Amino acid sequence: VQLQASGGGLVQAGGSLRLSCAASGRTFNRYVMGWFRQCPGKEREFVAAINRSGGTTDYADSVKGRFTISKDSAKNTVYLQMNSLKPEDTAVYYCAAGSAIYSNTPLGYAYWGQGTLVTVSS
């Protein structure tokens, strides 16, 4: 599966952005989908995940209550709605697809998008 992330940009603290991740192929619902982020010099960290059916979601503690992951199977697209953004949310955001039932680590995902940069100014 090929993934194309979009929607990043520059936003002021307290603002919102919605990231999109479009997946190719007709096997979209076979994968758990996740969002990760990475800052220069730091490890890639888990942000959110949604299971195959879309019925279960999980979030990193740092984004819980501010970010929402969702999926539109008809469009083969996963979204990450980010509200109340903080400067510490600045990172390159990656979407990923994995064959496991669920995973919150990069090792659980075999397919990655190219990343989209989110910059939150104070």
Side-chain angles (χ1 to χ4, degrees):
V1 62
Q2 292 183 324
L3 304 174
Q4 180 73 36
S6 61
L10 173 64
V11 64
Q12 288 188 333
S16 299
L17 280 176
R18 188 177 80 158
L19 305 184
S20 300
C21 177
S24 64
R26 293 178 288 180
T27 58
F28 181 66
N29 285 335
R30 294 184 182 179
Y31 300 99
V32 58
M33 301 298 295
W35 286 97
F36 291 77
R37 66 188 183 187
Q38 189 169 22
C39 298
K42 294 188 177 181
E43 293 185 352
R44 193 165 296 187
E45 65 173 2
F46 171 74
V47 176
I50 188 166
N51 72 341
R52 299 172 185 177
S53 69
T56 301
T57 58
D58 191 25
Y59 300 91
D61 288 342
S62 58
V63 307
K64 203 168 291 185
R66 300 187 297 121
F67 290 11
T68 303
I69 187 171
S70 62
K71 64 187 295 186
D72 184 336
S73 296
K75 296 182 178 180
N76 280 8
T77 301
V78 175
Y79 303 99
L80 185 68
Q81 178 66 44
M82 306 185 295
N83 299 329
S84 302
L85 282 161
K86 304 175 181 180
E88 51 263 43
D89 294 318
T90 295
V92 177
Y93 284 71
Y94 297 89
C95 64
S99 300
I101 294 175
Y102 169 78
S103 178
N104 62 0
T105 72
L107 292 176
Y109 294 82
Y111 306 98
W112 293 85
Q114 85 287 3
T116 184
L117 176 63
V118 172
T119 303
V120 184
S121 63
S122 58

